[in-house]
Amino acid sequence: MRRLSPDSGRALPEDLTRAITHAGYYPSLVCDVVASAIAGDDVVSHLVHQETTFDQDAVRRHVTVLVITPSRLVIAHADDHAEPGAQLLATATTETVPLAAVRGVMLTHVVAEPETFTPGTHARDITLTLGWGAVSRLDLLPAQCADPDCTADHGFEGTLASDDISLRISAAADGEAAVDGALAFAGVLSASIGAGRAPVPGQ
């Protein structure tokens, strides 16, 4: 079932609208910019993540919405900005990436007491990292020689990684349902990037 996003004439799926509203960060604004970026396409899967950061004496909120359509990954960010004595401003940015351009989906799992781990019984923290080539990270280290007595300069060796967005979801802070939702979203995206298309719900 679809419902019009608040204060807009565009339709968002009910569960996506509910997730954005639950995040509590200017839901009318976030729904509007997400609906504009989706542009009436089908929503295959979504992930909404809200976080609060502390910057000196200021408290800043941030929400990220990730949406998979049959052929695209839609990314929306919204932040607020407030200077002393100035009007509060919110900035919302959307980006659309073809699924065929997504280069990688990386999940890092952090689990306490791994020696007793049983699926479904242990809380975990996960970090979801997506890359599509807009931002690359180069990690350089001095090149090593197999000879332990060698003192020659062998230059540097490094790893080039695509690291366009990274989200940390914690069972303790966000709840087990949020972790499960992020894992499900990552699974759908991982299965979609090879073929360049995601399955349309109901087909």
Side-chain angles (χ1 to χ4, degrees):
M1 177 181 178
R2 287 176 177 263
R3 186 175 71 182
L4 293 183
S5 59
D7 302 326
S8 82
R10 308 179 185 94
L12 287 179
E14 185 75 22
D15 55 347
L16 177 53
T17 301
R18 186 167 53 250
I20 293 173
T21 302
H22 178 74
Y25 181 88
Y26 305 126
S28 294
L29 171 64
V30 176
C31 282
D32 187 76
V33 298
V34 170
S36 178
I38 293 174
D41 209 351
D42 290 306
V43 173
V44 176
S45 184
H46 68 266
L47 175 64
V48 179
H49 181 61
Q50 191 270 337
E51 60 183 337
T52 302
T53 58
F54 299 90
D55 182 9
Q56 297 180 348
D57 296 329
V59 178
R60 302 187 184 279
R61 294 183 298 162
H62 175 87
V63 66
T64 300
V65 180
L66 304 177
V67 177
I68 301 171
T69 77
S71 61
R72 299 177 294 142
L73 171 65
V74 176
I75 307 100
H77 302 277
D79 300 271
D80 50 26
H81 305 275
E83 298 297 332
Q87 182 181 15
L88 177 65
L89 298 174
T91 302
T93 304
T94 60
E95 182 176 1
T96 301
V97 180
L99 287 178
V102 178
R103 298 181 179 180
V105 179
M106 182 171 71
L107 273 173
T108 301
H109 301 250
V110 179
V111 180
E113 300 179 353
E115 68 279 4
T116 61
F117 176 78
T118 301
T121 64
H122 280 59
R124 72 179 80 186
D125 293 354
I126 65 168
T127 300
L128 171 62
T129 303
L130 310 180
W132 55 90
V135 177
S136 296
R137 182 184 73 251
L138 180 61
D139 296 324
L140 288 176
L141 294 171
Q144 301 296 316
C145 178
D147 183 357
D149 297 322
C150 179
T151 59
D153 183 358
H154 296 282
F156 292 87
E157 59 185 7
T159 302
L160 182 63
S162 180
D163 189 9
D164 293 297
I165 188 170
S166 185
L167 300 177
R168 180 176 177 269
I169 299 95
S170 167
D174 305 302
E176 288 285 356
V179 173
D180 291 341
L183 291 172
F185 176 88
V188 172
L189 185 58
S190 296
S192 304
I193 59 176
R197 291 192 64 84
V200 179
Q203 294 186 4

